[in-house]
Amino acid sequence: MFKSLHMKLMLIMLLLITSLMAAVGAFLTTNVSSFYIDSFYEQMNDMFGSDVETDGTALAKNARFMSDLLSAAAAPDGAAQMQKILEANAGLLGIDSRTRNYYILDGSSGAVLAESDERGAILASTPNLISALNGSVGDRSDLTADYMDAAFPLSDGENSYIIYILDNRDTVSRLNEKLFTIIMQALMIGLLISVLFSYLLSKTLVGPIEKVTEGAERLAGGDFGNKLPVESPDEIGILTGTFNHMADVLQDSLNAVENERNKLDTLFLHMTDGVVAFDHDGTLIHCNPAATQLLQRSVPKETVYDELFGSVYPLTQILDLQRPNYADAEMMAGDKTLELYFAPFSDKASGGVLVVLHDETEHHRSEERRKEFVANVSHELRTPLTNVRSYAETLRSSGRDIPQATADSFLDIIINETDRMTHIVQDLLTLSRLDAGNTEMNCTRFDFGEAISSVVRANALEAKHRGHELKWGPAQPLPLIYGDRQRLEQVMMNILGNAIKYTPDGGHIRITAGIVGEHVWMEVSDDGIGIPEKDREHIFERFYRVDKARSRESGGTGLGLSIAREIVERHHGTIRLARHEGPGTTVRLTLPIRQKGQKA
């Protein structure tokens, strides 16, 4: 009912008039009561009170009246004599027998000896009357009481009396009732006038506001074309003009926001980093495709913050951050290591949290590989350097006391360790070039079977020296393939050389090859010491060796298979450990017959 501005204005006017009249009424009635009470006690004080002279003596204000009363009090019929005096001065005391009466009381017992009240009312023990019984003048006023009274003790030494004046305040009550009637009549007239004027005022003010409201509703619906007419130069007219200008600015702002939103949508859709946004309650607002890929899970609309990142960083702590501060953390999502950046946007009440996800998996792996690589290089080079230094210091300190055969043995060890360091450095340079992409491949078409045969012939003498049985025979004719023959033969040499090295003397090594679709393959199987299951997935890592002591004895650097894998991958092929029945190992090399971009 009171949602309308018309009704609110009218209600305000009515409340204003009502409040004003209520305040005036309360002020008048209170002041009338105060006036009558003050007049009563002033009148009593004029008749019974006293003034203090400069010399400190008290003189009655109405000395003759008080003298007559004291003389009457000394008479045997003092109460009757005092009643005559009071009747003679009834006008000065305001005694009218209806609203104000006097009572002459015994000063000791308080019994009524004479009175002007024809009704013979029973007197109550008021504070003023009690004060008079105690010998003090009782002339204290009480605005809340429904009476006015004053009690004056009189004594001639032998007799004691109390003159008690009581007013029931009927005159004040009747006057207040009359005032209330007048105020209510004035209030009704004022309310009628205020209703009329408030209605006219509300129509004058609300009409233009209703037009602005209609325009705002059209604006909220997306209609920016209709302009409101400016009908007056007053504040309402200024408001209408400002509203029209606001509509133009708002339309331009919405167009700009739409363009920015399209840009952001395109950016979020195609960026490689994940972006997830939540409101201040933790409800999902936005999640781009990269975020779902990095999290390796679907992110439906009902997903909340705590479900994804609650264990990483509490939402309330991020909302408490002051921009441009942010928080970062790491989390694992499957096999991925994600770097998370949390930042609040807008304020805590209406804003939320933006989470940016960056894939740090490769960086972490590269960093771990780098640390491990440096540690391995340091370790591999420290061992031969230590041996060289030890034997060289021994030769130097012993001088000519050491036998020549022993000296020659020491020198052979120094030469072997030097050759070993040379191989390590050469392998490291080869890996570095392969990693940097600086190694050019001299690719030609060559016979895959002939390349295998060449590698077998090169290792036949070493195999015979160890008593191995070396078998090689392709199951079918092998085609020409495209690649760097020298590099691929290096790979084959490494695979076959490892089989010869790590197979106990008198072992059996078999080389097979064939074609599968558009690829050729080669397998080298042996019945040697084999590779434990826990080491199989690490066998192609740099400096990784299953039996480190035996590898060093055989001159291995732990880089051969790593180099082989790099070369094979540059040829878009694969090298891996194949399934092998019984003791030993089988290594399978697979290469494409044609490389990408090669003409048939």
Side-chain angles (χ1 to χ4, degrees):
M1 176 180 179
F2 295 108
K3 292 183 179 180
S4 169
L5 189 57
H6 288 286
M7 297 303 298
K8 289 181 179 179
L9 287 174
M10 293 176 65
L11 180 61
I12 290 172
M13 292 294 292
L14 293 176
L15 290 175
L16 180 62
I17 296 298
T18 303
S19 301
L20 179 61
M21 295 303 294
V24 170
F27 178 78
L28 287 176
T29 55
T30 302
N31 279 274
V32 166
S33 298
S34 297
F35 173 76
Y36 268 86
I37 292 173
D38 293 342
S39 297
F40 172 79
Y41 285 103
E42 184 178 352
Q43 190 175 23
M44 295 301 107
N45 190 51
D46 288 342
M47 296 299 294
F48 296 97
S50 62
D51 286 332
V52 179
E53 295 295 328
T54 56
D55 60 356
T57 59
L59 299 175
K61 289 185 176 180
N62 195 332
R64 182 178 181 81
F65 175 71
M66 291 300 296
S67 177
D68 293 342
L69 286 177
L70 290 173
S71 298
D77 55 346
Q81 296 297 325
M82 285 190 291
Q83 184 175 17
K84 292 178 181 180
I85 296 172
L86 292 176
E87 288 291 341
N89 292 277
L92 295 175
L93 293 172
I95 305 298
D96 60 2
S97 301
R98 290 181 295 105
T99 60
R100 187 180 298 180
N101 290 281
Y102 66 82
Y103 302 87
I104 301 173
L105 309 178
D106 184 273
S108 300
S109 63
V112 178
L113 303 177
E115 59 182 319
S116 63
D117 190 357
E118 299 175 353
R119 294 168 295 179
I122 298 175
L123 300 179
S125 296
T126 65
N128 286 336
L129 186 56
I130 294 173
S131 296
L133 288 172
N134 292 326
S136 300
V137 175
D139 58 353
R140 295 181 181 178
S141 63
D142 186 359
L143 288 174
T144 61
D146 58 354
Y147 62 88
M148 300 180 294
D149 66 337
F152 303 95
L154 294 175
S155 176
D156 64 345
E158 296 181 0
N159 302 319
S160 62
Y161 299 94
I162 296 175
I163 298 176
Y164 183 60
I165 309 298
L166 177 64
D167 192 318
N168 60 16
R169 295 180 65 173
D170 284 348
T171 302
V172 180
S173 299
R174 288 195 300 270
L175 182 57
N176 283 337
E177 290 174 359
K178 187 63 177 179
L179 282 174
F180 181 76
T181 303
I182 295 172
I183 291 171
M184 290 303 297
Q185 291 173 350
L187 176 61
M188 296 303 296
I189 296 173
L191 290 177
L192 292 175
I193 295 173
S194 65
V195 168
L196 177 61
F197 279 101
S198 62
Y199 178 77
L200 295 176
L201 178 62
S202 64
K203 289 296 290 183
T204 303
L205 294 176
V206 173
I209 295 176
E210 288 177 342
K211 292 181 180 179
V212 174
T213 303
E214 292 175 1
E217 291 175 350
R218 292 196 301 269
L219 192 64
D223 182 6
F224 297 94
N226 290 327
K227 304 296 182 183
L228 298 178
V230 181
E231 298 177 349
S232 61
D234 58 9
E235 287 79 1
I236 299 296
I238 295 174
L239 174 62
T240 304
T242 304
F243 181 84
N244 291 333
H245 176 68
M246 181 193 68
D248 294 335
V249 174
L250 183 60
Q251 185 173 15
D252 295 338
S253 300
L254 288 177
N255 291 335
V257 169
E258 183 66 19
N259 291 333
E260 291 299 322
R261 189 179 67 83
N262 292 334
K263 292 178 184 177
L264 289 176
D265 286 344
T266 304
L267 176 65
F268 289 152
L269 182 63
H270 297 290
M271 68 187 299
T272 56
D273 285 346
V275 177
V276 187
F278 301 89
D279 63 15
H280 66 282
D281 293 325
T283 305
L284 180 68
I285 300 175
H286 179 83
C287 179
N288 68 342
T292 59
Q293 294 176 3
L294 293 175
L295 292 171
Q296 300 187 34
R297 53 160 293 176
S298 61
V299 185
K301 292 182 178 180
E302 60 272 13
T303 305
V304 295
Y305 176 89
D306 289 340
E307 184 179 346
L308 292 178
F309 308 112
S311 60
V312 180
Y313 216 100
L315 178 65
T316 54
Q317 293 186 17
I318 301 172
L319 292 173
D320 290 336
L321 292 175
Q322 298 295 325
R323 290 183 296 168
N325 295 333
Y326 67 92
D328 58 344
E330 277 191 3
M331 70 173 288
M332 296 298 299
D335 59 345
K336 292 183 179 294
T337 302
L338 302 182
E339 186 79 19
L340 307 180
Y341 299 93
F342 303 87
F345 61 88
S346 190
D347 55 32
K348 186 173 181 180
S350 60
V353 172
L354 194 68
V355 185
V356 179
L357 298 83
H358 182 68
D359 190 356
E360 290 287 314
T361 306
E362 285 303 319
H363 175 73
H364 278 236
R365 289 176 181 172
S366 299
E367 187 67 18
E368 291 298 324
R369 285 196 295 265
R370 183 189 66 79
K371 293 179 181 179
E372 185 179 357
F373 181 74
V374 171
N376 286 330
V377 170
S378 301
H379 179 73
E380 293 297 330
L381 290 176
R382 184 170 60 250
T383 301
L385 283 173
T386 302
N387 290 337
V388 169
R389 181 180 180 86
S390 298
Y391 285 107
E393 288 178 347
T394 301
L395 288 173
R396 180 179 180 181
S397 61
S398 21
R400 297 182 179 180
D401 297 336
I402 189 171
Q404 186 62 38
T406 303
D408 292 341
S409 174
F410 285 2
L411 290 173
D412 290 339
I413 292 173
I414 291 174
I415 293 172
N416 290 336
E417 293 297 332
T418 305
D419 289 341
R420 182 180 167 194
M421 284 190 291
T422 302
H423 291 318
I424 292 175
V425 172
Q426 288 176 345
D427 287 346
L428 288 174
L429 289 173
T430 300
L431 277 174
S432 177
R433 293 191 187 101
L434 289 171
D435 288 340
N438 296 329
T439 301
E440 295 184 1
M441 294 292 175
N442 185 20
C443 295
T444 58
R445 292 178 64 83
F446 67 92
D447 190 321
F448 184 62
E450 177 59 30
I452 297 175
S453 298
S454 176
V455 171
V456 172
R457 287 194 298 270
N459 287 276
L461 184 60
E462 178 68 18
K464 182 178 180 181
H465 176 71
R466 291 176 176 268
H468 295 325
E469 180 183 353
L470 188 62
K471 292 184 179 180
W472 151 241
Q476 61 190 108
L478 298 175
L480 299 176
I481 68 170
Y482 187 79
D484 188 330
R485 177 169 180 169
Q486 182 180 356
R487 294 289 184 184
L488 292 176
E489 285 186 356
Q490 179 183 351
V491 174
M492 298 175 189
M493 288 285 290
N494 184 276
I495 298 172
L496 185 56
N498 286 341
I500 293 172
K501 286 180 186 178
Y502 300 113
T503 299
D505 293 348
H508 302 81
I509 300 171
R510 185 164 60 93
I511 301 99
T512 56
I515 306 173
V516 178
E518 295 295 322
H519 292 75
V520 294
W521 58 271
M522 166 193 170
E523 285 187 351
V524 177
S525 300
D526 61 64
D527 55 359
I529 60 176
I531 300 174
E533 188 66 31
K534 65 182 180 64
D535 297 311
R536 293 175 69 87
E537 61 180 274
H538 304 289
I539 197 64
F540 292 99
E541 295 178 4
R542 299 174 186 185
F543 290 110
Y544 191 86
R545 288 180 294 222
V546 177
D547 188 347
K548 294 181 174 57
R550 184 168 180 178
S551 295
R552 290 193 180 96
E553 290 176 1
S554 61
T557 65
L559 297 173
L561 287 178
S562 299
I563 295 173
R565 183 178 64 177
E566 294 288 341
I567 294 173
V568 171
E569 288 179 351
R570 290 287 296 273
H571 285 81
H572 304 99
T574 59
I575 181 172
R576 60 183 179 84
L577 296 178
R579 294 189 61 181
H580 185 89
E581 298 295 334
T585 306
T586 298
V587 180
R588 182 180 180 91
L589 169 66
T590 303
L591 294 167
I593 297 174
R594 295 182 179 85
Q595 297 294 323
K596 294 181 180 179
Q598 177 193 354
K599 295 182 179 179

